[in-house]
């Protein structure tokens, strides 16, 4: 007979990696996967993605430039972040690899932006640039993988230490990237054709299906075979965070959008595609939240759960998150303007060019 | 006991002399730079749970010696009530950094701010630590925290500043029941080595493969890994609020 144990003196720890870290993993994953979408056109020359690619590049660049700032802000000694580059620990620390990979990823992102900007002529890119694209693609995949490995390498946290985690991160990255490209493509009206919407809808649908399967396996493994943490994991999944894990994290944001996109005709309709994309974006966020924050709430030695308190201001706070999202929006506006993607995507480009020319004539008239 | 302490002091004074020479030669004030170049010692601790009375004197001494901020602990005596078929007994479990032979915290640290010295003590150079918290996540023993004053990782370091001067860690020095025994695992005549030979000992979470250098005599299976049971009926926040309100007394 197992004894009943009651804690009399003990401590619980505060959750360390909170909303800022979840946001970083979400944003950098979406950035990298969006770049992979863009590369399919800019490097591999897939013509059907001609209008999707610029949106992908804007999503990738805006999130890719802003997200690392959230990561730096979330260090408790932010001013020392540069030491990651000269005090490396590449033999065993995924975070040390990450510092190098992330830097090279951002560098290739900048090069991609410059290449697209300089190679755009009369509504088309002069020629694809496969070498740069391949290098950028390599670092994009590396970024997604390193964030997953960084989490799964931690043996001490039962919910993290799984080979499925990097795969789940990869799927969530693709889901959030496709969804954000759909949303931005609708906002800036670049994505119009049925074929483009159909491609994105189909990609989202199949990725969600694989995600359903893997999330199911992941949950079953931990609920049934979570070792000494199994009691806490069941408490968390079925009681404390049941809405976050099962209702929001699985049914509403993974299963439901997949159901919405089940018919090919619905994948080409803006209404259903947008609803599914918004839900799937939330799902990609919630997966990271459930893994990273709820994973840390699992006690390692103590009886009771660790606690996470979402702060409004200060370190790892809502204000930090809002600030970084504002920066993303700023980058989107600037990139839309600088890259002038519309120039090489035909109809809309012509509209814009003629509108700009009309405005110049009017301005000229005023000046005279 | 006294002869063992004299033995310990003899070795430790030698180590202190070496470290003093090292400190004079090497510039800077970090723990790493003050450490002896090559140590003959392998420090470890045996905790005899039969002698621990759960007085928390070790927790207090540690906090005083190391200036640990309020609400954080480098060591604490977790205390449990274990009810076996209607018979309740109290069990204590002093927790601290296990100074593992294969420390996962050292593996993941991206800047090598945390590392294992030649004498086996796992330390943090808080002049290098960037406060990423990765080591806190990696430690299976909940032994680490982010110090709210230094904004860097913090944990037990076996009172390295005392050990290098030939003294015992503060918790060992103050332990009223003599439950904490510190010494050189490389010395077959040290008290820790003798205890390890004479008594069956356990380590916490052996399945983690960390090979701890803190050994327990009389450790119950129920407490060896993560403890399952009913939580402490009060929270840290409530206690801290009470202290700041002055209502704790």
């Amino acid at each position: 007979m197992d004894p009943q144990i009651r804690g009399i003196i003990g401590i619980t720890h505060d959750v360390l990696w909170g909303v800022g870290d979840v946001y970083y993993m979400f944003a950098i994953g979406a950035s990298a996967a969006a770049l992979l979408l863009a590369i399919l056109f800019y490097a591999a020359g897939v013509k059907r993605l001609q209008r999707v690619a610029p949106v992908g590049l804007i999503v990738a660049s805006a999130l890719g430039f802003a997200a690392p700032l959230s990561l730096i802000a979330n260090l408790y000694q932010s001013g020392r972040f540069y030491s990651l580059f000269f005090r490396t620990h590449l033999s065993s620390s995924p975070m040390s690899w990450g510092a190098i990979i992330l830097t090279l990823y951002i560098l290739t992102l900048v090069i991609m932006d410059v290449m697209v900007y300089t190679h755009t002529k009369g509504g088309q890119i002069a020629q694809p640039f496969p070498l740069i694209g391949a290098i950028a693609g390599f670092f994009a995949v590396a970024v997604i993988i390193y964030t997953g490995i960084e989490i799964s390498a931690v043996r001490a946290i039962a919910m993290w230490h799984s080979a499925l985690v990097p795969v789940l991160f990869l799927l969530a990255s693709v889901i959030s990237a496709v969804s954000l490209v759909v949303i931005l493509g609708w906002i800036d009206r670049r994505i119009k054709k049925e074929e483009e919407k159909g491609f994105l809808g189909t990609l989202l649908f199949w990725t969600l299906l694989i995600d359903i399967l893997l999330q199911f396996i992941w949950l079953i493994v931990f609920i049934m075979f979570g070792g000494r943490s199994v009691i806490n994991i069941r408490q968390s999944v079925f009681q404390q965070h049941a809405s976050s894990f099962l209702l929001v994290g699985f049914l509403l944001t993974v299963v439901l959008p997949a159901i919405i996109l089940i018919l090919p005709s619905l994948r080409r309709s803006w209404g259903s595609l947008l609803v599914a994309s918004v839900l799937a974006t939330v799902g990609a966020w919630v997966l990271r939240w459930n893994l990273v924050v709820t994973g840390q709430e699992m006690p390692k030695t103590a009886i009771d759960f660790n606690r996470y308190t979402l702060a409004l201001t200060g370190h790892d706070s809502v204000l930090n998150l809002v600030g970084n999202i504002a920066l993303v929006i700023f980058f989107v506006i600037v990139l839309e303007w600088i890259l002038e993607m519309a120039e090489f995507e035909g109809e809309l480009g012509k509209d814009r060019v003629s509108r700009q020319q009309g405005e110049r004539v009017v301005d000229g008239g005023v000046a005279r | 006991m006294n002869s063992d302490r004299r033995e310990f002091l003899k070795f430790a004074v030698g180590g202190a002399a070496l470290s003093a020479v090292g400190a004079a030669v090497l510039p800077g004030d970090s723990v790493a730079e003050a450490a002896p170049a090559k140590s003959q010692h392998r420090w470890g601790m045996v905790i005899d749970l039969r002698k621990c009375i759960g007085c928390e004197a070790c927790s207090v001494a540690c906090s005083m010696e190391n200036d640990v901020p309020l609400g954080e602990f480098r060591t604490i005596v977790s205390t449990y009530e274990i009810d076996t078929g209607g018979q309740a007994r109290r069990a204590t479990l002093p927790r601290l950094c296990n100074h593992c032979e294969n420390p996962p915290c050292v593996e993941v640290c991206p800047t090598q701010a945390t590392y294992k010295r030649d004498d086996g003590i796992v330390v943090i150079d808080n002049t290098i630590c960037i406060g990423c918290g990765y080591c806190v996540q990696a430690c299976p023993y909940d032994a680490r925290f982010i110090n709210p004053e230094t904004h860097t990782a913090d944990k037990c370091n076996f009172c390295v500043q005392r050990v290098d001067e030939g003294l015992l860690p503060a918790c060992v020095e103050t332990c009223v029941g003599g439950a904490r025994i510190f010494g050189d695992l490389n010395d077959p005549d040290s008290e820790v080595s003798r205890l390890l030979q004479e008594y069956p000992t356990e380590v916490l979470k052996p399945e983690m493969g960390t090979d701890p250098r803190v050994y327990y005599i009389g450790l119950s299976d129920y407490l060896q890994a993560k403890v399952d049971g009913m939580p402490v009926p009060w929270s840290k926040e409530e206690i801290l609020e009470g202290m700041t309100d002055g209502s704790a007394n």
Side-chain angles (χ1 to χ4, degrees):
Chain A
M1 179 185 164
D2 281 347
Q4 286 188 323
I5 302 176
R6 177 185 282 279
I8 297 173
I9 297 172
I11 52 164
T12 55
H13 291 274
D14 296 329
V15 166
L16 262 190
W17 290 358
V19 68
D21 300 279
V22 170
Y23 169 75
Y24 166 73
M25 289 174 194
F26 168 84
I28 206 68
S31 165
L35 183 64
L36 292 174
L37 264 181
I39 285 169
L40 288 177
F41 172 67
Y42 293 126
V46 179
K47 287 283 182 191
R48 67 201 291 201
L49 294 178
Q50 186 177 339
R51 289 159 177 264
V52 173
V55 185
L57 191 62
I58 290 171
V59 169
S61 303
L63 290 172
F65 296 154
L69 297 176
S70 172
L71 189 66
I72 292 169
N74 252 33
L75 297 175
Y76 284 83
Q77 283 284 359
S78 300
R80 294 181 185 168
F81 83 93
Y82 59 89
S83 64
L84 283 163
F85 301 108
F86 66 90
R87 289 186 190 277
T88 57
H89 196 185
L90 298 170
S91 60
S92 62
S93 173
M95 195 178 278
S96 189
W97 313 344
I100 310 294
I101 291 169
L102 186 61
T103 307
L104 293 172
Y105 169 69
I106 294 167
L107 192 64
T108 55
L109 205 51
V110 172
I111 293 170
M112 279 292 293
D113 284 339
V114 172
M115 292 289 281
V116 170
Y117 179 71
T118 54
H119 285 65
T120 300
K121 284 180 184 171
Q124 297 286 331
I125 53 166
Q127 58 183 26
F129 23 92
L131 182 63
I132 299 291
I135 294 170
F138 171 80
F139 284 114
V141 172
V143 159
I144 297 172
I145 290 175
Y146 110 77
T147 49
I149 290 178
E150 190 173 87
I151 295 296
S152 64
V154 177
R155 292 190 68 205
I157 298 178
M159 201 181 264
W160 290 8
H161 190 56
S162 163
L164 277 179
V165 169
V167 185
L168 286 171
F169 269 44
L170 177 64
L171 288 170
S173 298
V174 174
I175 288 169
S176 54
V178 174
S179 303
L180 289 172
V181 165
V182 168
I183 294 166
L184 185 63
W186 176 74
I187 290 171
D188 69 8
R189 299 182 182 179
R190 287 218 175 86
I191 297 171
K192 277 185 168 178
K193 291 183 179 173
E194 298 284 299
E195 185 193 9
E196 294 156 352
K197 285 185 279 179
F199 172 81
L200 291 173
T202 305
L203 180 59
L204 186 55
F205 173 71
W206 284 106
T207 317
L208 283 166
L209 273 194
I210 300 170
D211 197 32
I212 289 170
L213 180 68
L214 286 189
Q215 279 210 43
F216 185 72
I217 294 170
W218 175 65
L219 277 173
I220 289 293
V221 167
F222 285 112
I223 289 166
M224 302 294 291
F225 313 105
R228 290 299 292 254
S229 299
V230 75
I231 292 174
N232 295 118
I233 289 171
R234 285 178 190 167
Q235 270 183 317
S236 188
V237 172
F238 292 118
Q239 294 170 22
Q240 285 189 332
H241 299 292
S243 59
S244 177
F245 268 102
L246 302 176
L247 183 65
V248 179
F250 194 62
L251 292 177
L252 288 181
T253 60
V254 184
V255 176
L256 183 60
I259 293 171
I260 290 172
L261 297 175
I262 204 160
L263 294 175
S265 60
L266 289 173
R267 295 174 204 161
R268 292 191 289 270
S269 153
W270 266 130
S272 50
L273 190 55
L274 276 172
V275 170
S277 296
V278 171
L279 289 175
T281 306
V282 174
W285 169 278
V286 174
L287 173 81
R288 264 63 165 247
W289 183 273
N290 285 342
L291 253 167
V292 176
V293 174
T294 313
Q296 290 172 82
E297 288 181 356
M298 300 290 157
K300 293 177 191 167
T301 55
I303 293 174
D304 205 2
F305 283 88
N306 297 319
R307 304 273 177 242
Y308 180 62
T309 312
L310 185 58
L312 282 179
T313 58
H315 186 264
D316 191 37
S317 65
V318 174
L319 199 60
N320 277 3
L321 180 68
V322 170
N324 202 277
I325 291 172
L327 194 60
V328 170
I329 295 170
F330 169 76
F331 280 134
V332 168
I333 294 168
V334 170
L335 288 164
E336 290 264 12
W337 178 64
I338 289 178
L339 294 174
E340 295 181 356
M341 297 299 179
E343 278 190 7
F344 62 93
E345 53 117 352
E347 196 181 318
L348 183 59
K350 283 175 192 166
D351 288 349
R352 287 195 174 181
V353 169
S354 60
R355 194 169 68 239
Q356 283 171 358
Q357 284 172 344
E359 283 165 0
R360 284 194 198 105
V361 170
V362 172
D363 288 346
V366 171
R368 274 196 299 271
Chain B
M1 172 75 78
N2 286 339
S3 67
D4 282 333
R5 285 205 175 183
R6 272 196 293 275
E7 284 295 308
F8 167 80
L9 286 171
K10 209 168 19 178
F11 281 115
V13 166
L18 274 175
S19 68
V21 172
V25 172
L26 297 168
D29 58 358
S30 71
V31 174
E33 288 158 348
K38 200 74 182 172
S39 175
Q40 300 292 313
H41 308 297
R42 181 56 176 101
W43 302 121
M45 188 181 285
V46 173
I47 300 178
D48 191 342
L49 295 176
R50 301 168 304 176
K51 294 179 178 175
C52 177
I53 58 170
C55 64
E56 302 284 357
C58 50
S59 309
V60 175
C62 168
S63 293
M64 297 301 288
E65 169 67 26
N66 297 296
D67 201 15
V68 180
L70 186 65
E72 304 291 351
F73 299 91
R74 287 186 175 189
T75 184
I76 189 166
V77 183
S78 295
T79 308
Y80 306 94
E81 185 184 77
I82 302 180
D83 186 340
T84 317
Q87 281 196 320
R89 68 180 176 89
R90 191 165 152 172
T92 56
L93 180 61
R95 296 184 185 275
L96 66 159
C97 171
N98 283 249
H99 297 276
C100 309
E101 192 63 36
N102 308 309
C105 52
V106 170
E107 283 177 15
V108 300
C109 178
T111 57
Q112 303 195 49
T114 186
Y115 58 94
K116 194 173 75 175
R117 304 193 332 167
D118 288 333
D119 57 9
I121 301 179
V122 177
V123 292
I124 302 162
D125 186 340
N126 66 11
T127 62
I128 295 173
C129 176
I130 59 171
C132 65
Y134 204 10
C135 57
V136 179
Q137 310 290 12
C139 174
Y141 306 105
D142 264 341
R144 288 175 168 250
F145 57 94
I146 295 290
N147 187 316
E149 289 169 7
T150 63
H151 304 289
T152 55
D154 201 334
K155 69 167 193 76
C156 158
N157 60 4
F158 272 164
C159 287
V160 72
Q161 70 282 8
R162 292 172 58 89
V163 172
D164 284 348
E165 295 298 325
L167 301 170
L168 290 166
C171 59
V172 176
E173 190 75 58
T174 202
C175 183
V176 291
R180 291 189 185 227
I181 301 102
F182 180 81
D184 186 1
L185 298 167
N186 283 350
D187 175 10
D189 297 326
S190 67
E191 191 177 358
V192 283
S193 297
R194 186 182 60 76
L195 287 169
L196 287 173
Q197 283 168 1
E198 283 184 14
Y199 296 97
T201 53
E202 305 285 349
V203 294
L204 295 177
K205 294 192 172 185
E207 73 279 4
M208 284 287 160
T210 54
D211 203 359
R213 286 297 180 258
V214 173
Y215 303 88
Y216 293 87
I217 297 174
L219 178 64
S220 157
D221 290 348
Y222 308 118
L223 305 183
Q224 195 173 21
K226 199 205 82 61
V227 179
D228 289 325
M230 296 173 72
V232 178
W234 46 81
S235 71
K236 185 171 80 177
E237 288 73 23
E238 285 170 349
I239 294 169
L240 286 175
E241 271 174 30
M243 291 178 83
T244 49
D245 292 348
S247 58
N249 298 324

